[in-house]
Amino acid sequence: MEFVVELVISVLIVIGGIFTLIGSFGLVKLPNLLMRLHAPTKATTVGVGAILIASMLFFWVERGTFTIHELLITIFLFLTAPITANLIGKAYLLRHVDPKDDLPHTGEAEGWATFDARKPAEQPKDPGKLPQD
C-alpha cells in the first residue's frame, strides 16, 4: 500500500477516534438531557463515519474490491441519528418544559411547533379514553 493512502486511512481513524472520544466525554459530563443528546449525535456520528470511511478505503486499496457494507452503515447512521435525537428532544420538551414559562416568545402569531398541537381544550379528561366525535 502506498504511503499516502496509509496516511489518509490513519488520519481518518485518528479523527474518528477523537470525535468519538469527545462525543462520549460530552455524554458523560454535560448537565442535562438536551446537552447530553447533542454530543453523541454530532461528534460521535462524525467519528464513526470517519472510521467507517477509513475501513471502506482500506479494503478498497488492500483487496481491490469496493465494499458496500461500510457505506450503507454510514448512510444509515447519518439518516437515523438526527431523527432519533429530534424525537428524544421533543419527548423531553413535552414532558419537562412549560412553554409559557421556560421558552422565549417566538415573535410570531404561532408558538413553538412542538406545543402547537397540544391545545388544553382538545386534551381528553381521562388519558385512557379518546374523545368521541
Side-chain angles (χ1 to χ4, degrees), residues 69-86:
H69 302 97
E70 289 91 350
L71 182 62
L72 290 175
I73 293 169
T74 304
I75 291 170
F76 180 75
L77 184 67
F78 280 116
L79 288 176
T80 58
I83 294 168
T84 305
N86 186 16

Side-chain angles (χ1 to χ4, degrees), residues 20-99:
T20 304
L21 181 66
I22 290 170
S24 301
F25 185 73
L27 179 65
V28 172
K29 290 304 234 180
L30 291 173
N32 65 19
L33 180 95
L34 292 178
M35 289 183 184
R36 274 188 231 129
L37 190 61
H38 182 74
T41 56
K42 304 294 184 233
T44 309
T45 302
V46 173
V48 172
I51 292 170
L52 287 169
I53 291 171
S55 172
M56 187 172 54
L57 184 62
F58 173 78
F59 285 110
W60 183 36
V61 171
E62 182 70 24
R63 294 192 179 159
T65 59
F66 181 74
T67 57
I68 196 79
H69 302 97
E70 289 91 350
L71 182 62
L72 290 175
I73 293 169
T74 304
I75 291 170
F76 180 75
L77 184 67
F78 280 116
L79 288 176
T80 58
I83 294 168
T84 305
N86 186 16
L87 292 175
I88 292 171
K90 281 187 176 189
Y92 177 83
L93 286 175
L94 289 172
R95 292 185 55 108
H96 300 287
V97 173
D98 182 20

